[in-house]
Amino acid sequence: MQVPPLLKIAVVGPESTGKSTMAKKLAEHYQTVCVPEYARYYCQNLDNKYTLQDEVNMYYGQIALEESLIPLASKGLLIADTTIMTIKIWSDHLFGHTPEEVLKEIKLRQYDFYLLMDIDLPWEDDPLRDFPEQRPHFLEVWKKELNQLNANYSLISGHGEERVENGIAAVQSFLTGHLG
C-alpha cells in the first residue's frame, strides 16, 4: 500500500488578520491537525524585547512543533498557523537580516498552498502584537516573499463566517485542482 503524500496548507500574513482562527477552522473542517504558532508560546514572557537569538529559537521551535505533529495529520493534510517565513520577516524588520540557517530552511520547507490573510479586519490589541500601523507594509512584504518562493497562494478577505468560508473555498479549489 502506497502512503499518500502529505499536503501542507499554511495560513500566513500580518498581525491581527485572523490566522489562528482560520487555521483552527480549516483543521476542524478537514478533520486534521493544526500546527500552532510556536512564537505565541515563546514570546509570552519576553515583554516584546526580542533578540536575534529569540528569533532563531522560535525558528527551531516552529520546525520541531510542525515535525512532531505531522504523524497526527489525517487525510494527508496538515494545516499550519504560520511558517518559518515569519521568522525571516521579523528578523529582517527588527534586525536588518535573517540568519543563513533560516534562509536555507525556507527554501527546503515548502508548503503546497498558502492562505495570505488580508488586513481588512480591525486591529485587535494583544500583548504579543507590535505594529498596528504597519499592517499594509507587512502585507506587501508577505506578497513579495511568497512571490519570491513562487508560492501558490490566495489572498483571503471578509469578516466572520464569510472569511472562514472564503478560506475553505480557496483550500477546496486548490485540493480539487491538485487531487482532481
Side-chain angles (χ1 to χ4, degrees), residues 15-165:
E15 295 177 298
S16 192
T17 55
K19 295 181 297 293
S20 296
T21 299
M22 180 64 72
K24 288 174 192 165
K25 293 285 189 178
L26 286 171
E28 287 171 16
H29 180 81
Y30 288 103
Q31 299 175 340
T32 192
V33 68
C34 174
V35 179
E37 181 182 14
Y38 180 79
R40 289 203 68 80
Y41 305 107
Y42 185 91
C43 293
Q44 286 176 338
N45 299 312
L46 283 184
D47 296 326
N48 293 6
K49 294 182 176 133
Y50 314 108
T51 67
L52 189 57
Q53 185 60 54
D54 289 320
E55 294 294 335
V56 170
N57 294 347
M58 287 183 273
Y59 155 76
Y60 282 113
Q62 189 68 42
I63 288 174
L65 186 55
E66 182 175 305
E67 291 297 319
S68 72
L69 292 175
I70 285 174
L72 302 178
S74 64
K75 301 178 184 174
L77 187 63
L78 179 85
I79 308 295
D81 175 5
T82 204
T83 70
I84 58 172
M85 180 63 76
T86 302
I87 304 302
K88 179 186 185 310
I89 289 171
W90 284 111
S91 293
D92 287 350
H93 181 75
L94 296 171
F95 306 106
H97 73 285
T98 299
E100 192 59 36
E101 61 201 298
V102 176
L103 296 175
K104 286 180 183 176
E105 186 65 23
I106 286 170
K107 292 176 186 168
L108 297 174
R109 187 167 291 268
Q110 295 295 312
Y111 296 81
D112 298 284
F113 188 62
Y114 295 80
L115 296 184
L116 175 58
M117 305 306 285
D118 202 352
I119 56 173
D120 58 337
L121 293 181
W123 177 267
E124 289 187 23
D125 274 335
D126 179 321
L128 300 179
R129 293 181 180 149
D130 297 309
F131 301 105
E133 70 288 346
Q134 292 188 34
R135 288 196 308 166
H137 164 75
F138 284 112
L139 181 60
E140 292 309 310
V141 170
W142 270 105
K143 287 177 182 177
K144 178 182 144 240
E145 295 292 347
L146 291 171
N147 288 330
Q148 284 181 343
L149 284 176
N150 254 350
N152 186 5
Y153 73 93
S154 182
L155 182 66
I156 304 300
S157 303
H159 294 89
E161 278 305 306
E162 175 194 19
R163 192 178 194 88
V164 173
E165 290 169 11

